Amino acid sequence: MLRPLAKAAVYNVARHTPHLRPRPLNLTFSVTYVCNARCKTCNVWKKRVDDLTLPEYRRIFDAIGSSLYWATFSGGEPFIRPDLIDIVLACYDRCRPSIITIPTNGLLRTEIVEGVARLSRLAPDAKIIINFSLDGIGPRHDELRGVPGNYERMRETYKELKAAGHPNVTVGIHSVVSQFNVTEIPALREHVRREFVPDSFITEIAEERLELDTIGCEITPTADAYRAVVDDLVADIDATPAAGLPALVQAFRREYYEVAHRTMVEQRQVLPCYAGLASAQVAPNGDVWTCCIRAESMGNLRETGFDFLKVWSSTRADELRGSIRRGECHCPLANAAYSSMMSDPSSMVRVGWRWITRQLFRPNRLRTASPLQPPAPAASSEAVR
């Protein structure tokens, strides 16, 4: 946690100094659009591009260097790629991220269980977060994900991976809050607590994204409906005993929920966005985006000889950063929000105050069920499919 906080001041200065372009701390690599689910909140499986190859990823990681703190490998379903773990290890060897996050729908049991075991063994210095998607209880999850038996198959994979007990692996549950399930989230949270006992439980708002081909699909819940979810999640955080680093992570999570709701209500950047500075995303075909919401390319890595810094310092990249700085877009994207919170002094004051008061006034009522421990600011991507 100290490493990203130490660089936060650099990103804050860079946001107001157009020609200062520090390397990103947080990168998401979408390794494929191919997916074996047909979710109501995502149409990414309809898209087809020429995916970057393993040798191409190696050249990209060489160009990025060791500035990364947090790397996410998403999809589609990332474990569909037979070389996924090789790609992640190439990033680990060349960029040395402290946190590696992989979201999954949990359908490919063998690939997930064996792949994570290999990754855990060969990337011992990284904290590896595997987030399983769960949007409903039992058949309701199958309905929302478009795959009969998805819930049971995911549950079996989850249980096997959790039982493996890899020392550097966090196994969590991630739920997409959409208009289809927004009223069901409190019950789902309690179900997760009882039946899964995950290391973390995180949520993300379903958004209309160019990346997911969901523009005009009306999948986002109303602000009023989401407020009820926020109140439930915040109450759960406040009632869960925590101290030290877990309490700090909870403070970040609490701040994010409030920011996400305010963004929906006020329809503006209530949190100064550092996408394109502290965070970015690499699409499967090599396009570099400030974020997956706008999905506007700074440049293509194949077209620049895989020179990430050439794309990062391009005129187009500066234009997109200027647009973001002027508040010409807004969204509650979780992945970018955590980097932005760490780079924003006002947010850090609020998070720090919550953390300090949490140490002084800890809840003294323990829950009857095992408390959920939140992850390092990640998740998602919380761009979990």
Side-chain angles (χ1 to χ4, degrees), residues 114-320:
E114 295 182 359
V116 174
R118 179 176 170 231
L119 180 59
S120 173
R121 185 177 69 256
L122 298 180
D125 296 329
K127 179 175 183 179
I128 300 162
I129 302 172
I130 308 298
N131 283 324
F132 286 78
S133 299
L134 182 62
D135 295 342
I137 300 173
R140 179 65 170 147
H141 177 70
D142 300 350
E143 177 188 354
L144 294 173
R145 290 275 160 171
V147 179
N150 190 331
Y151 176 86
E152 287 301 330
R153 290 168 63 185
M154 181 279 292
R155 189 169 179 269
E156 290 173 5
T157 306
Y158 171 91
K159 294 289 187 182
E160 186 170 347
L161 183 59
K162 193 80 160 54
H166 303 299
N168 58 336
V169 175
T170 291
V171 184
I173 296 292
H174 173 281
S175 298
V176 175
V177 183
S178 69
Q179 68 151 331
F180 308 113
N181 68 350
V182 63
T183 62
E184 304 164 24
I185 298 302
L188 178 61
R189 177 181 58 74
E190 285 302 318
H191 176 78
V192 167
R193 183 185 299 280
R194 293 191 311 270
E195 300 297 325
F196 289 84
V197 196
D199 299 316
S200 64
F201 174 68
I202 57 178
T203 67
E204 180 181 13
I205 303 171
E207 299 168 84
E208 296 182 18
R209 301 183 187 178
L210 286 173
E211 178 204 21
L212 305 184
D213 193 24
T214 52
I215 301 299
C217 291
E218 298 183 356
I219 58 176
T220 307
T222 66
D224 287 345
Y226 184 64
R227 179 72 252 178
V229 172
V230 169
D231 290 343
D232 176 75
L233 294 172
V234 166
D236 185 63
I237 289 173
D238 290 345
T240 302
L245 183 58
L248 179 59
V249 175
Q250 285 184 339
F252 271 105
R253 175 65 55 186
R254 199 181 190 285
E255 176 72 7
Y256 165 70
Y257 289 140
E258 297 293 349
V259 164
H261 181 257
R262 283 189 60 200
T263 301
M264 294 177 70
V265 171
E266 300 177 29
Q267 292 294 294
R268 67 179 183 89
Q269 270 187 36
V270 299
L271 169 68
C273 184
Y274 286 77
L277 280 171
S279 63
Q281 180 156 338
V282 178
N285 67 342
D287 282 340
V288 181
W289 301 334
T290 56
C291 71
C292 61
I293 302 297
R294 291 183 62 150
E296 295 179 49
S297 181
M298 295 178 168
N300 185 278
L301 292 167
R302 281 174 169 151
E303 296 171 2
T304 59
F306 306 98
D307 188 342
F308 182 86
L309 296 183
K310 187 173 182 178
V311 172
W312 197 242
S313 59
S314 67
T315 299
R316 179 56 179 159
D318 288 340
E319 290 172 352
L320 289 170

